[in-house]
Amino acid sequence: MEREITIQGTQAIYHAFTLDPTERKVDFSKHLDLISSTMGDLVVANEPRFIGIEGQSGAGKSGLAKVLKEDGVNVVIIDVCALSDKSPNPTDISSYFGDKTATIVIDELGFADRDCYELINEHLDQGGTIVALVQSRMDVDLEAAKTWLSMDRNGIRAM
């Protein structure tokens, strides 16, 4: 059972559920500032617009993904775990790569089928933007994955 998350501006509201009866609000404005600044640096340096964000389970990656969608323009979220059929096999996310102008936020890229890496590279080569949220950057073997941030419940920082 996944916890319900709603968005109000730059805040994610994590609603109470069976495993945690308390509601929690997290302001992601500092996260957005660092991501925006980092993306600006990539554009100026003419580097692929890929930002990886590493955070353990419960760090707030899914809430951040939803805030990015709410805050951005033409943002597509691929929630790999939600698409999973609960099998141990990697999840195929290839059908979500259609709009080359979209910013694609991949929540838990580490669980996606590695066949999608070619599509990620194509998206980046055509000027698209990828924000990949993972539990460990060691789960991602992607040449463009050079820019990493780290997040936990205390915030976000460059690595």
Side-chain angles (χ1 to χ4, degrees), residues 13 29 33 36 50 52-53 63 70 76 89 99 109 116 120 127 150:
I13 301 164
S29 58
D33 290 345
S36 179
F50 176 96
I53 301 174
E70 187 76 19
V76 175
N89 300 324
D99 184 352
L109 175 59
C116 75
I120 290 172
S150 175

Side-chain angles (χ1 to χ4, degrees), residues 94-108:
S94 60
S95 63
Y96 292 87
F97 290 87
D99 184 352
K100 299 302 179 190
T101 65
T103 294
I104 300 178
V105 178
I106 307 171
D107 192 357
E108 295 300 357

Side-chain angles (χ1 to χ4, degrees), residues 42-53:
L42 291 171
V43 170
V44 167
N46 201 27
E47 292 286 330
R49 294 190 309 219
F50 176 96
I51 295 177
I53 301 174

Side-chain angles (χ1 to χ4, degrees), residues 38-51 121 123-130 143-147:
T38 303
M39 192 60 67
D41 292 345
L42 291 171
V43 170
V44 167
N46 201 27
E47 292 286 330
R49 294 190 309 219
F50 176 96
I51 295 177
N121 284 324
H123 188 74
L124 293 168
D125 288 344
Q126 294 177 356
T129 301
I130 301 282
E143 191 174 318
K146 297 176 185 169
T147 305

Side-chain angles (χ1 to χ4, degrees), residues 37-146:
S37 171
T38 303
M39 192 60 67
D41 292 345
L42 291 171
V43 170
V44 167
N46 201 27
E47 292 286 330
R49 294 190 309 219
F50 176 96
I51 295 177
I53 301 174
E54 179 180 67
Q56 293 301 311
S57 181
K61 297 183 304 290
S62 294
L64 176 59
K66 290 182 180 204
V67 169
L68 286 167
K69 179 167 179 59
E70 187 76 19
D71 187 66
V73 175
N74 197 17
V75 177
V76 175
I77 295 177
I78 304 172
D79 185 343
V80 177
C81 291
L83 296 171
S84 163
D85 58 6
K86 305 300 178 206
S87 76
N89 300 324
T91 303
D92 178 15
I93 61 171
S94 60
S95 63
Y96 292 87
F97 290 87
D99 184 352
K100 299 302 179 190
T101 65
T103 294
I104 300 178
V105 178
I106 307 171
D107 192 357
E108 295 300 357
L109 175 59
F111 296 113
D113 190 321
R114 291 186 185 267
D115 289 344
C116 75
Y117 285 11
E118 184 177 325
L119 294 170
I120 290 172
N121 284 324
E122 284 177 23
H123 188 74
L124 293 168
D125 288 344
Q126 294 177 356
T129 301
I130 301 282
V131 177
L133 306 165
V134 299
Q135 291 186 29
S136 170
R137 67 182 175 165
M138 302 305 288
D139 294 337
V140 178
D141 184 23
L142 195 64
E143 191 174 318
K146 297 176 185 169

